[in-house]
Every structure is written in structure tokens, then in C-alpha cells.
Amino acid sequence: MWRLLALVVFAAVPAMAGDPYAFFDWDVSYVTAAPLGVKQQVIGINGKFPGPVVNITTNWNVVVNVLNDLDEPLLITWNGIQHRKNCWQDGVLGTNCPIPSGWNWTYEFQVKDQIGSFFYFPSTGLQRAAGGFGGIVVNNRGVIAVPFGRPDGDITILIGDWYNRNHTDLRKMLDEGKELGMPDGVLINGKGPYRYNDSLVPAGIEHETIDVHPGRTYRIRVHNVGTSTSLNFRIQGHNLLLVETEGSYTTQQNYSSLDVHVGQSYSFLLTTDQNASSDYYVVASARIVNESLWQRVTGVALLRYSNSGGPASGPLPDPPQDQYDKTLSMNQARSVRWNLSAGAARPNPQGSFRYSSINVTQAYLLRSAAPVEIGGKLRAALNGLSFVPPETPLRLADAYGVEGAYTLDFPERPPAPDAAPRVARSVINGTYRGFMELIFQNNDTRMQSYHVDGYAVFVVGMDYGEWTEASRSTYNKGDSVARSTVQVYPGAWTAALVSLDNVGFWNVRSQNLDSWYLGQEVYVRVVNPEDGANKTEMAVPRNALYCGQLHKYQKEQTPHHKAAAAASAAAVRPLAVRRQIVALVMLVVGALVFAS
Ligand SMILES: *[C@@H]1O[C@H](CO)[C@@H](O)[C@H](O)[C@H]1NC(C)=O
Ligand SMILES: *[C@@H]1O[C@H](CO)[C@@H](O)[C@H](O)[C@H]1NC(C)=O
Ligand SMILES: *[C@@H]1O[C@H](CO)[C@@H](O)[C@H](O)[C@H]1NC(C)=O
Ligand SMILES: *[C@@H]1O[C@H](CO)[C@@H](O)[C@H](O)[C@H]1NC(C)=O
Ligand SMILES: *[C@@H]1O[C@H](CO)[C@@H](O)[C@H](O)[C@H]1NC(C)=O
Ligand SMILES: *[C@@H]1O[C@H](CO)[C@@H](O)[C@H](O)[C@H]1NC(C)=O
Ligand SMILES: *[C@@H]1O[C@H](CO)[C@@H](O)[C@H](O)[C@H]1NC(C)=O
Ligand SMILES: *[C@@H]1O[C@H](CO)[C@@H](O)[C@H](O)[C@H]1NC(C)=O
Ligand SMILES: *[C@@H]1O[C@H](CO)[C@@H](O)[C@H](O)[C@H]1NC(C)=O
Ligand SMILES: *[C@@H]1O[C@H](CO)[C@@H](O)[C@H](O)[C@H]1NC(C)=O
Ligand SMILES: *[C@@H]1O[C@H](CO)[C@@H](O)[C@H](O)[C@H]1NC(C)=O
Ligand SMILES: *[C@@H]1O[C@H](CO)[C@@H](O)[C@H](O)[C@H]1NC(C)=O
């Protein structure tokens, strides 16, 4: 048995700057689970899989002490949290040295001007395929209005495809040049599907049940934390009123279902206005694939009213019918618009929401393709360049004048079609306070999504075919939503605009874990040329870890494995218990002797 070792320590105390602090203590370790009926080691936080929801309020300082109780290096990244001026806390290999096995490292960052739904996950070596993820809720401060009434409850739902092979086996497959293939299923909050069909779902699998009361309104936050599958999310018999995505309030619209791509987060208001004659299915099914072949890649949970008449039965609610209309999902994506009159949670910098009147100063067309062999290894590239994680984090290399850690010559346009892709550590030279256009062109036959760390980007357009200069005339110039993960349909492009006001080194990555692991990522370096002092960027944190060429600055830590310690403590317990019994007996005997 695994014991819950470190409880989440949560406190709000006044800080010097006046903004409250929230403290968390996380022991990240393997936990045995069998979400799809096959026993495997998953990554838990304080013994829990998935990890706890981080429930904080905008402008709070967040301190998370992470103990790496795994047998390999670890970093936690905070998907969608902007870490203003502070890429030191971003938890990716371009900015942080990984936390060695048995060591701990304390993240400390402020969630500045952000309100909404985000999530965290382990960023190194395909670990997300084994868990270690959880939701982040950033609440508004009381003084800031929210464009809807206070919900009766707040429910985080993590959906994601899942493999019965563990992350080390999956990694081995990619290293050997194999594709991961179709996932074995979809988990909802770490649990397998409800047995809605005896021939499709084996017996003995634990499913998730979401308990609600009738006649109420709940905010549900849905995150796709999976490896590479886009998922259609729907709840039988209920409308999903979309209200927010990744920190932007959207125009409020009802959807019977919504496609949530890998790495994306949405929140909906769910009104429990149905008759509760039975439980209702909550479904997350594979999308933008041949759905009849991918039937097993379906997550099913139950929505249970407190007055429910009994279990759900019968077929699942239908997925979108678009076998003959590939624009259906894209049109739905285009319908997600920003609510311009909602006062709060405007992206930084203030004023950039008038994005259509700002001139673009840099434009990058980033073309992706299916993985190819480079030097005998399977690699994935952007603009023909496949990124290799650095031994010395790029930002740290800059701070210490380490030369040759990277080059600043990432190409603005894809290479000629016949140019051979290569491995490189090439970085985008972002101009501080410039306005950058990022166009993702997906030349793969698979759905992709891309994430930009440090920023929210305005998703101004997407369409099938090749992007051309003329495509700019189709951009949404008024109410594009600002978010951090954008989907790119196969054979299509997606364009985004971003104001480069946040100094640092920022990861732009494929959210599909396999593409990312194989090198489909790049960094954008943003430096304020006039900044000698710490005005626009925070200094190297005092607890920074050092590795690679800077290894000499690192002080050793005594490895401290709580899970291992607990296991050995459990093994000696019988003896300890026996000693206690002996002591107790002696006490009783002593008392009797004394009494007589
Ligand atoms: C993953 O599974 C393989 C067996 O398929 C096993 O050898 C390996 O130790 C496992 N890794 C972890 C982290 O559980
Ligand atoms: C999250 O925090 C908010 C604001 O502090 C609080 O109202 C709410 O009850 C918390 N939710 C949970 C599930 O703890
Ligand atoms: C972790 O790091 C902090 C300092 O950041 C230290 O006080 C603590 O003792 C360390 N160890 C563990 C096991 O958390
Ligand atoms: C936008 O936000 C405003 C202000 O909070 C709200 O009154 C309005 O209903 C919202 N509009 C839509 C279309 O969601
Ligand atoms: C279960 O799924 C199989 C395969 O799709 C299908 O043929 C069968 O009709 C389903 N059973 C029920 C009871 O829906
Ligand atoms: C959404 O659907 C609910 C019924 O489930 C309805 O009451 C509400 O008016 C709809 N809202 C919008 C904005 O369409
Ligand atoms: C409850 O609603 C469902 C449709 O959502 C309907 O099929 C069923 O007949 C209703 N039951 C009652 C008792 O009204
Ligand atoms: C999807 O797979 C089925 C086989 O289950 C096949 O009949 C169908 O043609 C495929 N559809 C497409 C669009 O490839
Ligand atoms: C944008 O560029 C146009 C033409 O190059 C110029 O006339 C205009 O003043 C610029 N706008 C801003 C806000 O710089
Ligand atoms: C990077 O861009 C800045 C302008 O923002 C420019 O001054 C500098 O020369 C560029 N560096 C390289 C290596 O191109
Ligand atoms: C990939 O690019 C080539 C050359 O432009 C084009 O012919 C092909 O249709 C594209 N495929 C996809 C899936 O975008
Ligand atoms: C920046 O901050 C660090 C630590 O907070 C300090 O050591 C350093 O002197 C500061 N640099 C400047 C130029 O103020």
C-alpha cells in the first residue's frame, strides 16, 4: 500500500508585496494503478493519480516544493501560466535543469493578471503519458466581475488518451523508430470507461462518477491532458455553455459537444435541468481519426444527480456527424470568440486586445510534417529543424555567458521541399515589444496542436490548404480569442498574433507528446536590450539547479526518497507494532502492580 505522505499544505499569509502566498508540498512518485484493467506504474502526486487541483487566485504567489521521488529526472510545467518576467519557473529543459531523482526543488511564481483554467504536467521524457498532471484553477479576486453568476460548484475533468504500456516502454518505441500507434483507451480523471457496452469494455474497470444536485449550475473545466488524441467532449442530454478558455472569457454559446485538442482547456456552465430518470453519460471520444476504427478510444464517465433514478444504459450520445464535412470541427473552433465586453482577464500587455491595429513586426511560418529519419533516428521537425534538448538550459547559458549553447537563426520560412531536415538547437530571435505573427502549417496527416509558453496568443485564423499572404485578408480582426494552445488541422494552417512583452526564453512546442519528444519544438528568445537591471526580468533564482556546462555551480543534495522510505518503514512495521504491544502490556501490568 502506498501511503499519503505529504499532505498539501495550503496557507494564505500576507506577503511583503501584499499579495498572498499559497504553499504546496508535492511528493511525485510512482503509484500502481490499472485504469484500463492492466496494472502499471503511473505518476502520482502525494499518492494521488491524477494530482490535486491547484486552486489559487489571480496575483497570488505560488510556492510548490516538488520532491522527485521517481527514478528519473523530472520537471513540472504549468500549461498556460505566463510566468511574467520569470521563465526560470517554466519547468522545461530550455530554462530549467531537471530535478535529479531523489532531489527536491521549489518553484515560486506569481499568477499575474490571469484568471481561468489551466493545468500542470511533467514535461520531461514522455512522463505525461504516465500521469503527474492536474488542473489549475485561477480564481478572480472579489473586486473583479465575472460575466456569469456564481456557479454552485467547480468541477475539474481531465480527459486524455491512454496506453497500457508505461512511459518508459513508449519512449523505447520512439527511440527505436516505431510509432506509438492507437492508444488503448481514454481516461476521465484517471479512470477507465463505464461499462456502457459489454463487448467494448471489459469487466472490472473503475469509472468516474460526477455527483451533482438537480436545479443547479456547475462550472466544469475540461482539459485534454492526453498524449496525442483530439477528443470530442459531450454530456448526454445536456447543453454545455462555453464561458472561458485558457484565461479568456468567450462569448457564451451552447454546444452539444466540443472538440478539445491535446493540451487545451475549456470551461462550461452545466445546468442540471434534466429529469434524472437515470444517470447521464459523460463522453470523450477520439476525433479527427477514423472513428469507426477508433471506437475503443472512448472515455465514459457518469453524471449522477442526487435524485437519479438509476444507472445509465443504451448507446452513447452520438459524436458529431462529419464524415463528409471536414470543416465542421474547424467551424466550431472558429465560433469560439472572445467576449469583448467582459471586463476581466485581458491578455497582456494592456491594450494588445486591439490587436488588429498593431503592425506585425516579425512573421514566422512554421511548417510541420510527419516524423522522418535523420541520421538513422526518427525525428520530428518544424521548418526542417528538429530541436534537441540542451544539456545546459538556454536561459541559464545566457546568464552565465556560456557560448554555443544555441544559434539565433531560426528560419522565418520553411526550407525548400527537397531540403533535408536536420537536428539543430536553433532559436527564434524575438524582438522585445515586437508584434509577432506565428503561422502553423500542418503538412502531416495527423491533427496537431501547438503551445506557446509565456504568452496568450490571438488565434486570428485557420483554414485548409497552404497559407499565403492573401490568407491574411481572412483573419478575424475583432474578437479572436487569446489562448496558449492552438489546434492545427491536417493539411491546414492556423495563424496567431502575439505581443512580445514578456522577456525570457519561451518554449513553442507540439502538444502531441510523441512529436514533441522527437524534436518538434523551438524557443523564442525575448530580451530587453535596454535592461541592465532587473526591471523586466527576474534574476536567476537563488535555488537554481545547475547542470551541463554549469554543473560546477551545483551543490550536492542528499537524495531523499519519501516513497522508498515509506516502503521500508512499512516493511518494519510488524516489529514496531509488536514493540508497542509489549510496551502496552508492560504498562498495564505496571499499573496493576502499582494499584495492588
Ligand atoms: C515499464 O514496463 C516495463 C515492462 O514492460 C518495465 O520493465 C519497466 O520497469 C516499467 N517502467 C516503469 C517506470 O514502471
Ligand atoms: C477554491 O478557492 C476559492 C477561492 O478561494 C474558494 O471559494 C473555493 O471554495 C475553493 N474551491 C475548492 C474546491 O477548494
Ligand atoms: C526541499 O527544499 C527545501 C528548500 O527549498 C528544504 O527546506 C527542504 O528540507 C527540502 N527537502 C524536502 C524533502 O522537501
Ligand atoms: C459578455 O460579458 C458581458 C459582461 O459580463 C455579459 O453581460 C454578456 O452576457 C456576455 N456576452 C456574451 C455573448 O456572452
Ligand atoms: C456494443 O458494441 C458493438 C461493437 O460496436 C456493437 O456491435 C453492439 O451492438 C453494441 N452493443 C450494444 C448493446 O449496444
Ligand atoms: C443554453 O441552453 C440552455 C438550456 O440548456 C438555455 O436555458 C440557455 O438559454 C442557452 N443559452 C444560450 C446563450 O444559448
Ligand atoms: C426524462 O428525459 C428523457 C430524455 O432526456 C426522456 O427520454 C424520458 O422519457 C424522461 N423521463 C421522464 C420520467 O420524464
Ligand atoms: C474507416 O474505417 C472503416 C473500417 O472500419 C472503413 O470502412 C472506412 O472506409 C474508413 N473510413 C475512412 C474515411 O477512411
Ligand atoms: C502601421 O504601418 C502603417 C504602414 O506601414 C503605418 O502607416 C502605420 O502608422 C503603422 N501603425 C502603427 C500603429 O504603427
Ligand atoms: C536579434 O534581434 C535583435 C533585434 O531585436 C537584433 O538587434 C539582433 O542583432 C538579432 N540577433 C541576431 C543574432 O540576429
Ligand atoms: C504537404 O505538402 C505538399 C506540398 O506542398 C502537398 O502536396 C500535400 O498535399 C501536403 N499534405 C498535407 C497533408 O498537407
Ligand atoms: C538583480 O537581482 C539580483 C538578485 O535579486 C541581484 O543580485 C543583482 O545585483 C540585481 N542586478 C541588478 C543589475 O540590479
Side-chain angles (χ1 to χ4, degrees):
M1 262 317 284
W2 288 83
R3 293 200 316 166
L4 229 169
L5 280 156
L7 288 169
V8 174
V9 179
F10 172 83
V13 293
M16 266 191 338
D19 292 316
Y21 274 77
F23 297 97
F24 301 90
D25 231 325
W26 284 1
D27 176 13
V28 181
S29 72
Y30 293 122
V31 181
T32 304
L36 293 175
V38 175
K39 252 196 190 171
Q40 61 194 133
Q41 301 231 73
V42 302
I43 298 177
I45 294 179
N46 298 337
K48 286 208 158 63
F49 167 74
V53 174
V54 174
N55 183 26
I56 48 182
T57 297
T58 186
N59 286 8
W60 281 17
N61 297 290
V62 181
V63 182
V64 189
N65 176 29
V66 173
L67 173 65
N68 177 6
D69 223 339
L70 305 176
D71 56 358
E72 50 184 56
L74 169 74
L75 279 175
I76 302 281
T77 192
W78 318 89
N79 206 69
I81 299 295
Q82 289 176 14
H83 301 294
R84 298 195 60 76
K85 311 174 182 181
N86 196 3
C87 70
W88 306 109
Q89 308 295 328
D90 201 24
V92 287
L93 288 171
T95 51
N96 296 76
C97 295
I99 309 167
S101 170
W103 289 32
N104 75 323
W105 194 68
T106 304
Y107 290 84
E108 183 166 350
F109 55 87
Q110 190 173 19
V111 283
K112 201 93 179 105
D113 303 328
Q114 289 194 276
I115 298 169
S117 312
F118 313 94
F119 69 96
Y120 60 84
F121 67 91
S123 72
T124 37
L126 281 189
Q127 284 165 352
R128 191 174 82 214
F133 39 66
I136 303 176
V137 171
V138 183
N139 298 290
N140 56 298
R141 283 179 294 153
V143 294
I144 297 173
V146 167
F148 44 85
R150 191 182 167 84
D152 298 303
D154 199 303
I155 300 168
T156 289
I157 301 182
L158 305 174
I159 59 177
D161 58 2
W162 188 261
Y163 290 90
N164 287 328
R165 280 157 293 169
N166 61 35
H167 68 292
T168 53
D169 278 355
L170 294 175
R171 213 154 59 196
K172 202 159 139 242
M173 289 179 72
L174 293 176
D175 290 343
E176 287 169 356
K178 297 180 191 138
E179 288 183 9
L180 299 185
M182 192 189 298
D184 296 300
V186 168
L187 306 191
I188 298 185
N189 286 347
K191 293 179 183 147
Y194 171 76
R195 200 166 187 209
Y196 68 100
N197 176 320
D198 287 358
S199 65
L200 288 173
V201 184
I205 287 182
E206 199 191 340
H207 66 267
E208 173 75 342
T209 301
I210 295 157
D211 289 304
V212 292
H213 293 291
R216 309 234 174 127
T217 297
Y218 296 86
R219 182 170 184 175
I220 58 174
R221 305 179 192 251
V222 182
H223 310 271
N224 186 335
V225 298
T227 297
S228 61
T229 309
S230 295
L231 296 171
N232 179 262
F233 181 81
R234 54 196 187 273
I235 301 183
Q236 187 178 31
H238 291 77
N239 273 326
L240 298 167
L241 183 66
L242 177 69
V243 292
E244 178 257 347
T245 181
E246 297 163 19
S248 288
Y249 289 121
T250 63
T251 57
Q252 297 176 11
Q253 295 182 71
N254 276 318
Y255 293 86
S256 54
S257 74
L258 196 90
D259 290 342
V260 185
H261 303 278
V262 178
Q264 292 187 326
S265 303
Y266 286 99
S267 53
F268 306 99
L269 296 184
L270 173 77
T271 303
T272 47
D273 54 3
Q274 295 302 299
N275 61 27
S277 60
S278 71
D279 297 341
Y280 296 92
Y281 291 128
V282 176
V283 183
S285 61
R287 279 289 273 159
I288 329 292
V289 290
N290 186 335
E291 286 162 33
S292 63
L293 292 173
W294 283 59
Q295 228 175 349
R296 74 158 191 256
V297 189
T298 302
V300 184
L302 295 179
L303 179 75
R304 174 168 298 159
Y305 283 43
S306 50
N307 61 340
S308 171
S313 60
L316 301 179
D318 283 335
Q321 301 298 312
D322 61 351
Q323 291 81 346
Y324 307 104
D325 179 9
K326 67 175 184 172
T327 62
L328 200 101
S329 177
M330 190 185 272
N331 282 336
Q332 185 186 60
R334 290 176 177 139
S335 75
V336 175
R337 300 295 178 90
W338 196 13
N339 182 345
L340 291 166
S341 59
R346 286 264 159 95
N348 277 299
Q350 304 297 318
S352 72
F353 66 92
R354 286 192 207 89
Y355 62 87
S356 65
S357 60
I358 306 173
N359 287 334
V360 167
T361 57
Q362 287 178 288
Y364 281 82
L365 176 57
L366 304 174
R367 187 183 184 85
S368 63
V372 289
E373 270 209 1
I374 305 179
K377 287 262 179 206
L378 190 66
R379 302 290 310 175
L382 275 176
N383 282 2
L385 298 181
S386 183
F387 193 87
V388 267
E391 270 144 39
T392 315
L394 307 179
R395 181 66 195 87
L396 212 52
D398 257 13
Y400 283 83
V402 174
E403 302 213 338
Y406 62 91
T407 56
L408 256 189
D409 56 355
F410 196 86
E412 289 180 1
R413 289 287 181 274
D418 57 349
R422 61 191 171 88
V423 161
R425 214 172 273 142
S426 176
V427 166
I428 292 179
N429 185 13
T431 306
Y432 178 59
R433 296 210 161 131
F435 202 59
M436 186 180 276
E437 182 180 25
L438 286 170
I439 305 138
F440 297 95
Q441 177 81 52
N442 181 358
N443 197 225
D444 198 345
T445 51
R446 288 203 315 165
M447 188 75 205
Q448 287 284 351
S449 49
Y450 291 92
H451 179 85
V452 181
D453 275 356
Y455 293 97
V457 302
F458 293 98
V459 191
V460 291
M462 58 180 78
D463 208 348
Y464 284 98
E466 295 281 326
W467 182 89
T468 64
E469 308 272 328
S471 306
R472 289 192 172 121
S473 66
T474 68
Y475 286 2
N476 172 350
K477 298 202 168 62
D479 58 358
S480 294
V481 79
R483 65 185 312 164
S484 56
T485 297
V486 302
Q487 67 265 53
V488 193
Y489 292 82
W493 55 267
T494 296
L497 298 175
V498 53
S499 176
L500 299 182
D501 67 323
N502 193 12
V503 284
F505 261 88
W506 301 108
N507 190 219
V508 176
R509 60 173 170 269
S510 166
Q511 290 282 47
N512 287 13
L513 273 187
D514 49 346
S515 309
W516 186 21
Y517 180 76
L518 295 175
Q520 203 169 89
E521 66 173 328
V522 62
Y523 283 80
V524 180
R525 177 182 185 261
V526 182
V527 172
N528 178 356
E530 285 165 13
D531 186 35
N534 296 330
K535 267 183 302 197
T536 45
E537 189 173 16
M538 302 216 181
V540 184
R542 257 174 308 177
N543 65 345
L545 293 173
Y546 293 92
C547 54
Q549 294 194 56
L550 297 169
H551 182 76
K552 60 175 184 270
Y553 295 116
Q554 183 60 50
K555 287 193 231 75
E556 284 303 307
Q557 254 190 40
T558 311
H560 189 100
H561 289 275
K562 287 193 185 177
S568 56
V572 302
R573 197 176 308 141
L575 183 64
V577 168
R578 225 178 301 138
R579 279 211 197 102
Q580 278 168 20
I581 292 171
V582 168
L584 197 70
V585 167
M586 282 169 71
L587 254 176
V588 171
V589 168
L592 287 174
V593 168
F594 183 78
S596 67

